[in-house]
Amino acid sequence: MGKTGVKLLIAILTVLIIVAAVLLAIKVINTKQGEDDSNGIISLGVDKGKTKNEESKIEVYNGIERPIAVMIDNHKGAWPQVGLNDAYIVYEIIVEGGETRLMPVFKGKDLEKIGPVRSARHYFIDYALENDAIYVHFGSSPQALSDIATYKVNNINGIAESENNFWRVKDKKAPHNVVTNTKKIFEMANSKKYRTTSNISSLLNYKDKEVNLDEGIIANEVQIPYSESNNVAYKYNEETKKYERYQKGTKQSDWTTKEVISTKNIIITFAENYTLKDVENKGRQGLKNIGDKKGYYITNGKAIEIVCSKSSRTERTVYKDLQGNKINVNDGNTFIQICPIDANVVIK
């Protein structure tokens, strides 16, 4: 073989060695990525469009669609409501006249009807913010209107929108008959150039394995009096392992599906409310929700005492047991009952 042939052979061998090395490197990288994926390391960020909860198979909270929080009328004339069972969290807080208002928070849901939608109250804004949610309402108290501007809240006020986006239905009487849907909400959000995606982790520390409060007290029935005329109750269904909701002695159901309103988890927070002094003199309420508040976490027929801590209106509430550990919460929907500090709550 001549010098030219030797040089050609060396060149070919060199190329083959380089190709083999490249292929080996690719295989190692792919194997490493597979290992990282199985440990939930690489895929926790935005690259794959998943949240930390989705990586651990949490069903109630996943995906990158931004949450939406909707003010829902809870006057008897508004019953039944629609959409509550589809929310990952529903907040219930007292308003004027001893009544309450609800604020379900939705993520990744395509709902044809939500409502009846009602006006904003300023302390609900705190809980929309801690969920990174677009705040949806129909009208507003003066305090809420001021706080929406102060905190630059991404909000949608139905009164300022067209009847194509918020409409009144005929089977309920005004003012308890305004509805909207998720498609319209995101169309309005896009038109206002609001961010419609979110990678924020869940407020609650969900677990994909069943959480049982073995050291807790029996909690087959829960009664939460918001006022003399307004009592909320939950009864545990051992077959479904969920709590069925009652209000003012009436079992609650969904307006469209007729299904019983139920929840996997209940969190109770005791917080002082007080009557505001404003020019309208309508008895609207304020809420002292900052600091450490006593409460309960209830699931699977048991309850434990907890501490609910919120350091400011824009910071997230942290729920801890009496040993200072952040509580683990069952994968499922949660009703957060922020009730008067002197409410005579009964758990039995």
Side-chain angles (χ1 to χ4, degrees):
M1 183 181 293
K3 290 183 178 180
T4 303
V6 171
K7 289 181 179 179
L8 179 60
L9 180 60
I10 293 172
I12 292 171
L13 290 173
T14 301
V15 170
L16 290 173
I17 291 170
I18 291 172
V19 170
V22 169
L23 291 174
L24 180 61
I26 291 172
K27 182 178 180 181
V28 170
I29 290 170
N30 287 338
T31 301
K32 180 63 177 173
Q33 286 181 332
E35 291 172 355
D36 285 346
D37 281 347
S38 67
N39 291 324
I41 295 173
I42 285 181
S43 51
L44 293 185
V46 298
D47 294 342
K48 293 190 176 182
K50 295 181 179 180
T51 67
K52 293 180 180 179
N53 291 107
E54 191 170 9
E55 289 306 316
S56 60
K57 299 182 176 63
I58 297 301
E59 295 184 0
V60 75
Y61 188 98
N62 55 55
I64 62 169
E65 188 172 83
R66 189 176 181 187
I68 54 175
V70 186
M71 291 296 296
I72 297 294
D73 194 344
N74 198 32
H75 185 275
K76 199 169 183 178
W79 296 350
Q81 301 103 329
V82 60
L84 298 181
N85 278 342
D86 294 292
Y88 67 88
I89 284 178
V90 179
Y91 293 89
E92 182 167 18
I93 315 176
I94 197 165
V95 292
E96 55 270 23
E99 296 292 323
T100 59
R101 204 152 284 183
L102 302 169
M103 189 181 76
V105 189
F106 307 97
K107 183 176 176 68
K109 296 292 184 179
D110 183 13
L111 304 177
E112 294 183 358
K113 186 164 70 172
I114 302 172
V117 186
R118 203 67 193 273
S119 58
R121 294 294 178 267
H122 65 288
Y123 38 87
F124 280 93
I125 292 171
D126 304 14
Y127 302 102
L129 290 173
E130 72 178 13
N131 284 278
D132 191 33
I134 298 168
Y135 185 52
V136 181
H137 53 104
F138 194 86
S140 179
S141 69
Q143 295 82 6
L145 192 64
S146 174
D147 285 354
I148 285 169
T150 298
Y151 292 99
K152 297 180 174 57
V153 180
N154 285 177
N155 81 107
I156 296 172
N157 184 354
I159 282 184
E161 302 294 333
S162 74
E163 292 183 359
N164 290 327
N165 294 326
F166 289 83
W167 58 97
R168 293 190 183 274
V169 294
K170 295 181 179 180
D171 51 339
K172 293 184 190 292
K173 295 181 179 180
H176 313 296
N177 61 347
V178 175
V179 297
T180 185
N181 63 37
T182 51
K183 181 181 178 180
K184 294 294 185 182
I185 290 170
F186 278 109
E187 286 177 356
M188 289 180 282
N190 281 318
S191 71
K192 298 177 188 297
K193 302 188 184 308
Y194 292 160
R195 175 172 46 83
T196 56
T197 60
S198 175
N199 279 294
I200 191 171
S201 61
S202 59
L203 175 73
L204 301 176
N205 189 31
Y206 298 113
K207 293 296 178 181
D208 55 7
K209 294 182 179 179
E210 198 76 2
V211 175
N212 292 303
L213 307 176
D214 295 330
E215 303 301 320
I217 61 174
I218 297 296
N220 290 323
E221 186 173 342
V222 182
Q223 296 180 11
I224 310 167
Y226 276 88
S227 64
E228 290 184 1
S229 60
N230 188 3
N231 184 73
V232 174
Y234 292 92
K235 294 181 180 179
Y236 185 56
N237 185 321
E238 291 186 359
E239 292 184 3
T240 63
K241 289 190 174 182
K242 288 187 174 184
Y243 287 86
E244 297 176 346
R245 178 180 165 87
Y246 295 75
Q247 190 144 15
K248 297 182 179 180
T250 301
K251 193 172 189 176
Q252 305 290 283
S253 61
D254 185 90
W255 187 0
T256 299
T257 68
K258 312 305 180 187
E259 294 176 352
V260 173
I261 303 302
S262 61
T263 185
K264 181 65 175 178
N265 309 293
I266 303 167
I267 291 177
I268 297 174
T269 301
F270 295 96
E272 182 182 350
N273 61 292
Y274 56 94
T275 302
L276 294 171
K277 296 179 180 179
D278 58 28
V279 294
E280 293 187 334
N281 196 31
K282 290 186 176 181
R284 293 195 180 100
Q285 298 294 292
L287 185 72
K288 296 182 179 180
N289 61 348
I290 307 304
D292 293 343
K293 308 297 178 184
K294 293 181 180 180
Y296 291 97
Y297 171 48
I298 304 168
T299 193
N300 286 354
K302 290 287 191 72
I304 59 170
E305 292 184 72
I306 61 172
V307 177
C308 315
S309 301
K310 191 171 178 65
S311 58
S312 74
R313 292 189 64 187
T314 57
E315 290 297 318
R316 309 184 91 182
T317 307
V318 178
Y319 300 97
K320 296 182 178 180
D321 61 26
L322 298 187
Q323 288 71 48
N325 305 305
K326 189 173 181 179
I327 63 171
N328 295 326
V329 175
N330 270 313
D331 183 8
N333 63 327
T334 304
F335 269 71
I336 297 182
Q337 310 288 153
I338 302 174
C339 66
I341 198 165
D342 57 353
N344 184 24
V345 171
V346 175
I347 301 174
K348 58 183 181 180

